[in-house]
Amino acid sequence: MTGTGVLADGAIRRMIAEGAIAADPAVTDAQVQPASLDLRLGHVAYRVRASFLAGKGRTVQNRIAEFEMHRVDLREGAVLEKGCVYVVPLMERLSLPRGLTAVANAKSSTGRLDLLTRTIADGGEEFDRIPDGYSGPLYAEICPRSFSVLVRPGMRLNQIRFRQGQAVLSDAELGDLHRRDQLVSGTALISDGLGFSVDLKPAEGDLVGYRAKPHTGVIDLDLIGHYAPADFWEEVRTTEARIILDPGAFYILVSREAVTIPPDYAAEMAPYLAMVGEFRVHYAGFFDPGFGWAEAGGAGSRGVLEVRCHEAPFVLEHGQVVGRLVYERMAARPDRMYGAGIASNYQGQGLKLSKHFRAA
């Protein structure tokens, strides 16, 4: 591998060809995204007593043996129950060359279902972080938080991004990029990344978000555009430019800013400082090169916010900063941009539920 930065689709395909990424069955081209690789569920899910990390010198399979309650065969489809923790071996395994690390994240549709999905690896001491030169299997820890889900082998709930060296932009570099490419609409708040605020004053109407209903049916993750939003979500409306978040509730909101990721960069969302309030914004998935890029059909794309309130009710107000985008250089420009002929579901989005729901 040559070049510092996030590896693009061409380099990922070379890693597959050279055996640094292997799978049974073989990796398909549809899994390769502009700056990441989708990971596929294997054939069995282990219901475990609690979430865990393998820990230094230990394997995930040995930890499963410690905490397993029962196992679920996924081959005919199986329901993962709300509030339970499962570990699923993934079809892909890695043999990373020295100098290459990886970071994983839930795919956007996964996060919008409040489906907590994290990647764990042998010897791992952090979720979603794969160390330099790692060789071994990968596993998904899955905890449905709001809805029970029906899953099958081969489903893609999380994704992995490969990095060579350190390529995160400093605030000064990010400011220069914004002046050149207008990364967000309006004034850019740059501090350890690019600040993201919540939109509670829509240009039209008073719909500002959705709140997950507590008692619903199962969502089959293979069904796209199938479910009526009202069966799973309550609409959140306000004319006061603020809402009160209820403890334990899960919300889908939207950013005030339209976001742009230029072709030679990738980005990842990071939560804002916990001191700003009694809530957490969890951002699922990566922002690929071309997201929000006008030439890739994305002008006006905004970020969807997945918000969970903690111990106390909290007043969230229009324009409150709730997260930040961390930009990184690509090692090379990808062959295809997000949204440019690859059936991207969220290019040009505003407030939008996951792809499983019918348009309102």
Side-chain angles (χ1 to χ4, degrees), residues 16-78:
I16 296 167
E18 294 166 2
I21 302 169
D24 183 19
V27 178
T28 68
D29 194 62
Q31 292 174 247
V32 181
Q33 304 301 322
S36 62
L37 176 75
D38 291 347
L39 301 172
R40 299 169 297 175
L41 299 182
H43 296 89
V44 62
Y46 298 93
R47 167 79 166 91
V48 293
R49 286 184 284 144
S51 172
F52 64 83
L53 288 163
K56 188 173 182 179
R58 294 188 287 188
T59 68
V60 174
Q61 202 64 51
N62 285 343
R63 303 313 304 274
I64 289 173
E66 290 182 57
F67 301 118
E68 178 185 349
M69 298 172 67
H70 64 267
R71 62 191 68 182
V72 181
D73 190 335
L74 303 184
R75 284 174 290 187
E76 299 300 321

Side-chain angles (χ1 to χ4, degrees), residues 29 34 36 129 132 142 188 190 213 241 244 248 264 279 305 311 341:
D29 194 62
S36 62
R129 297 294 183 268
D132 187 335
I142 303 170
I190 296 176
K213 290 185 173 181
I244 297 177
D264 294 313
F279 67 94
L305 314 178
E311 290 82 4

Side-chain angles (χ1 to χ4, degrees), residues 24-197:
D24 183 19
V27 178
T28 68
D29 194 62
Q31 292 174 247
V32 181
Q33 304 301 322
S36 62
L37 176 75
D38 291 347
L39 301 172
R40 299 169 297 175
L41 299 182
H43 296 89
V44 62
Y46 298 93
R47 167 79 166 91
V48 293
R49 286 184 284 144
S51 172
F52 64 83
L53 288 163
K56 188 173 182 179
R58 294 188 287 188
T59 68
V60 174
Q61 202 64 51
N62 285 343
R63 303 313 304 274
I64 289 173
E66 290 182 57
F67 301 118
E68 178 185 349
M69 298 172 67
H70 64 267
R71 62 191 68 182
V72 181
D73 190 335
L74 303 184
R75 284 174 290 187
E76 299 300 321
V79 173
L80 304 186
E81 305 257 358
K82 172 183 171 181
C84 298
V85 182
Y86 302 86
V87 175
V88 181
L90 297 170
M91 292 180 177
E92 288 73 29
R93 62 179 294 118
L94 301 179
S95 182
L96 297 182
R98 285 293 173 189
L100 207 62
T101 62
V103 59
N105 211 326
K107 288 177 64 65
S108 189
S109 294
T110 306
R112 295 182 201 206
L113 292 175
D114 199 19
L115 188 57
L116 179 63
T117 303
R118 301 184 287 195
T119 302
I120 50 179
D122 289 347
E125 298 179 290
E126 293 181 277
F127 290 110
D128 289 332
R129 297 294 183 268
I130 311 300
D132 187 335
Y134 175 79
S135 181
L138 298 172
Y139 301 79
E141 179 200 273
I142 303 170
C143 180
R145 306 284 304 278
S146 290
F147 313 116
S148 296
V149 294
L150 180 64
V151 302
R152 299 176 183 85
M155 283 184 170
R156 293 149 32 191
L157 302 189
N158 53 347
Q159 57 195 159
I160 193 165
R161 180 175 277 180
F162 303 95
R163 294 185 174 116
Q164 181 136 314
Q166 172 60 262
V168 173
L169 270 62
S170 68
D171 284 351
E173 291 169 326
L174 194 56
D176 291 341
L177 182 61
H178 174 65
R179 283 185 286 274
R180 188 167 68 244
D181 285 325
Q182 188 72 24
L183 301 179
V184 292
S185 56
T187 303
L189 174 61
I190 296 176
S191 178
D192 292 327
L194 189 64
F196 226 50
S197 67

Side-chain angles (χ1 to χ4, degrees), residues 111-114 146 198 200 208-213 233-237 243-254 279-282 304-310 313-314 316 351 353:
R112 295 182 201 206
L113 292 175
D114 199 19
S146 290
V198 63
L200 297 177
V208 297
Y210 298 90
R211 170 181 158 151
K213 290 185 173 181
W233 301 93
E234 299 170 355
E235 292 183 343
V236 178
R237 296 180 178 273
I243 60 174
I244 297 177
L245 302 177
D246 290 324
F250 177 75
Y251 298 83
I252 295 291
L253 305 173
V254 70
F279 67 94
R280 173 179 168 81
V281 181
H282 175 262
V304 164
L305 314 178
E306 299 136 18
V307 178
R308 179 174 292 280
C309 187
H310 293 322
F314 184 78
L316 189 62
L351 175 64
L353 296 171

